[in-house]
Amino acid sequence: MTVTRTSESVPGPTRLATWLRCPRCGENLSPGGATWSLSCVRGHSFDANKRGYLNLVDRSRGILGDTDEILQSREAFLAAGHYSPIARLVSDALPRGEALSVLDSGCGTGYYLEHVLSSRPLWDALALDVSVAAVTRAVRETGAVGVVSDVWQPLPVRDARADVVLCVFAPRNAAEFDRVLAVDGVLVVVTPSAGHLRELREDGRMIGMQDDKIERLDAALHPLFAVEVRRSLEYTIGLTAAEAASLVAMGPTGHHERAARAQSAVDVTVGVDLTVYRRA
Ligand SMILES: C[S@@+](CC[C@H](N)C(=O)[O-])C[C@H]1O[C@@H](n2cnc3c(N)ncnc32)[C@H](O)[C@@H]1O
Ligand SMILES: [Zn+2]
């Protein structure tokens, strides 16, 4: 679904520029009139894509993050509604202020951001991911502006710009999230719990342990962030063989081509922890 949002009345290059700082010198970026060229006062300039995002990832590093194939699997799986309880959990946990701003870090297809924005038409959003294919989709699906950027590098986002940083099943850079959050901002993180997709690991379709232990997450964000609210969600979904294959293909094991092993219908546990962090 393509969403038309109220904030889209502001020209795209302006919306994008208000989020970004120059990746070379840190000065704010400004829009170049109606064009998608953004520049800083020191004369560094960057051509954003007219679809609404700026790509700051060096192409010589090859394809980073999720590939188009993984994203297609994720899109098909999410469209079936299997994770809609997680989308509701996320939307319910975010503030309800009228015109706040949200940075979705590791946005993927933009599925969660779309849910958040659908009930917050005045919000201003930036979709960030290291994958060009992900940001392209997220911008198209949510009406947000976007940036292709590696979360492990200094983010091209202005200081104190976001009221909310959202990070669902994606890597977290505590120092940078702290820098880009407004004084009263919140960081909302969703991680898989120990039981998440356990049946697919038990029957060998998926490899690897869940290493996202919640204690480790708190420790990684400490001392910058402290837990304000934590909610856990667990439910079971019945998957067809094809859906199970799609789920395997969209996870980290998608790279290992294990999807082909998913040959039977299966009931699978979905388990996540959502944490709202505030500055400690
Ligand atoms: C498991 S997906 C989650 C996507 C989305 N939040 C969702 O839940 O549908 C993880 C996302 O993080 C992105 N990612 C991985 N490493 C990254 C990095 N270093 N910087 C930015 N994004 C990254 C991937 O491209 C992928 O879109
Ligand atoms: Zn500059």
Side-chain angles (χ1 to χ4, degrees):
M1 179 179 61
T2 303
V3 186
T4 303
R5 300 170 33 66
T6 313
S7 59
E8 283 180 86
S9 54
V10 177
T14 304
R15 278 198 298 138
L16 184 56
T18 67
W19 276 98
L20 300 180
R21 63 176 196 173
C22 175
R24 291 180 59 194
C25 69
E27 297 283 353
N28 291 344
L29 288 179
S30 308
T35 75
W36 282 91
S37 170
L38 309 179
S39 57
C40 74
V41 286
R42 298 196 189 186
H44 304 128
S45 99
F46 306 87
D47 285 328
N49 186 300
K50 63 179 183 323
R51 280 177 285 185
Y53 65 84
L54 178 61
N55 184 357
L56 292 172
V57 169
D58 178 2
R59 282 186 198 138
S60 66
R61 289 174 68 202
I63 296 178
L64 299 174
D66 284 357
T67 60
D68 217 34
E69 205 182 350
I70 291 178
L71 288 158
Q72 267 173 30
S73 292
R74 186 171 306 129
E75 217 160 43
F77 180 84
L78 293 171
H82 298 300
Y83 281 4
S84 60
I86 306 177
R88 269 199 301 280
L89 183 75
V90 169
S91 187
D92 289 349
L94 261 57
R96 284 272 161 204
E98 267 232 327
L100 301 180
S101 57
V102 55
L103 163 64
D104 185 2
S105 185
C107 59
T109 61
Y111 177 74
Y112 298 98
L113 186 58
E114 188 194 334
H115 275 260
V116 166
L117 297 179
S118 66
S119 57
R120 296 169 174 86
L122 297 178
W123 278 35
D124 176 24
L126 179 70
L128 181 150
D129 203 287
V130 78
S131 155
V132 179
V135 173
T136 304
R137 277 184 160 74
V139 162
R140 188 182 65 215
E141 296 302 316
T142 66
V145 287
V147 66
V148 182
S149 175
D150 181 352
V151 79
W152 297 121
Q153 303 294 321
L155 297 179
V157 176
R158 298 183 183 192
D159 293 355
R161 177 62 177 82
D163 298 302
V164 179
V165 172
L166 175 63
C167 188
V168 183
F169 301 139
R172 299 157 292 269
N173 181 336
E176 281 296 276
F177 288 175
D178 178 53
R179 183 183 62 76
V180 303
L181 266 178
V183 179
D184 288 330
V186 289
L187 167 62
V188 178
V189 179
V190 177
T191 49
S193 59
H196 186 57
L197 310 184
R198 76 163 78 89
E199 296 81 0
L200 295 177
R201 274 177 282 126
E202 282 164 7
D203 74 9
R205 296 184 216 202
M206 253 181 182
I207 53 168
M209 298 289 293
Q210 296 293 358
D211 58 1
D212 251 348
K213 291 243 166 57
I214 203 79
E215 297 77 16
R216 208 170 302 156
L217 174 64
D218 291 347
L221 296 173
H222 181 82
L224 294 172
F225 292 100
V227 176
E228 183 174 77
V229 177
R230 171 159 290 142
R231 301 217 165 88
S232 298
L233 175 69
E234 190 164 295
Y235 59 96
T236 304
I237 51 176
L239 298 180
T240 64
E243 285 174 327
S246 192
L247 183 54
V248 172
M250 79 189 216
T253 51
H255 299 285
H256 299 274
E257 292 172 3
R258 288 191 159 230
R261 286 204 194 179
Q263 284 166 353
S264 54
V266 59
D267 286 341
V268 173
T269 305
V270 174
V272 299
D273 295 308
L274 176 146
T275 312
V276 179
Y277 293 92
R278 270 198 198 271
R279 286 216 178 70

